[in-house]
Amino acid sequence: MPASDGIEQVFYSEAPPDLRRRFALLRHRADPVLRPMPGETVRDLHDPALSAVSFYTCSGEAVISYAAVLRKTIRHAAQTFEIAGLSAVLTDPEFRGRGFGRRTVAAATRWIGESGADLGLFTCDPPLARFYARAGAWPVAGNIVLIGGRSATALRSDMLGKVVLMRLFTPHAMAAEPVLSQATIDLDLPDGQFL
Ligand SMILES: CC(C)(COP(=O)(O)OP(=O)(O)OC[C@H]1O[C@@H](n2cnc3c(N)ncnc32)[C@H](O)[C@@H]1OP(=O)(O)O)[C@@H](O)C(=O)NCCC(=O)NCCS
């Protein structure tokens, strides 16, 4: 289904196997060292528990730009928040620098804003903060540490050297700004997962 600006959109869980394979091929092209070449059947890119929505652009049969929105419910400061974050933001190396990443992130961000999510929350490497600010008006939340969970081995933004990006979308989140903007926020994810 078209989202906007030529970007396609699909619930990852409903994407046909061939499309999932083309997502995985893009991830391999974007990071061939870390990602083995996908075989006929591919491992899921996203944990089904996080209800991923995929935004993507094709050139012919190939997927050349991709971003997923992952969603979950968290508890923070005795309140419940619906959160959404970007993940697997990728452009084929041959197509970089032509605005595909910006347009894909912009479409995914618009979707988050209209989805009813209270807040958008994810991390990135510090040099990429400018890209996300321009693509989706994502500001750096300098006083937040994001943690994957409470276990000793859980991933954390400060240990990973990442910056936290956060946007508040609903009146519920805006009212909670004082307890959200200077805090350690627990994503309560399985060990090894992060946003
Ligand atoms: C980041 C990425 C998706 C951008 O895709 P793209 O299609 O080239 O994006 P656009 O053409 O819309 O925008 C490119 C801008 O991002 C900047 N950019 C891209 N990668 C960057 C990086 N690693 N550090 C700093 N800036 C970066 C470019 O300098 C460019 O800036 P400009 O607009 O001022 O010239 C792509 O480079 C990529 O797939 N990188 C590898 C995977 C990755 O790091 N993903 C992000 C995970 S948080």
Side-chain angles (χ1 to χ4, degrees), residues 69 84-86 105-106 108-110 112-113 119-122 124 128-141 164-169:
V69 173
L86 299 181
V105 165
T109 303
R110 271 195 299 277
I112 292 174
L119 53 137
L121 193 59
F122 63 103
C124 73
L128 277 167
R130 189 164 160 268
F131 164 74
Y132 286 109
R134 292 175 65 179
W138 290 99
V140 171
V164 177
L165 306 178
M166 182 171 78
R167 285 187 61 181
L168 307 179
F169 290 106

Side-chain angles (χ1 to χ4, degrees), residues 89-91 96-99 101-102 127-128 130-132 134:
V89 176
L90 303 165
T91 298
R96 286 184 191 164
R98 300 193 213 170
R102 180 184 56 73
L128 277 167
R130 189 164 160 268
F131 164 74
Y132 286 109
R134 292 175 65 179

Side-chain angles (χ1 to χ4, degrees), residues 13-66:
S13 61
E14 296 174 7
D18 174 59
L19 183 56
R20 288 190 191 205
R21 184 161 187 280
R22 288 186 282 146
F23 294 157
L25 280 167
L26 170 62
R27 191 165 67 157
H28 174 76
R29 282 196 300 280
D31 203 346
V33 178
L34 296 178
R35 310 289 176 197
M37 173 66 93
E40 278 310 306
T41 345
V42 294
R43 284 181 54 201
D44 280 347
L45 249 61
H46 311 293
D47 181 343
L50 299 178
S51 312
V53 188
S54 301
F55 295 81
Y56 62 101
T57 308
C58 295
S59 173
E61 286 297 297
V63 174
I64 58 163
S65 179
Y66 184 85

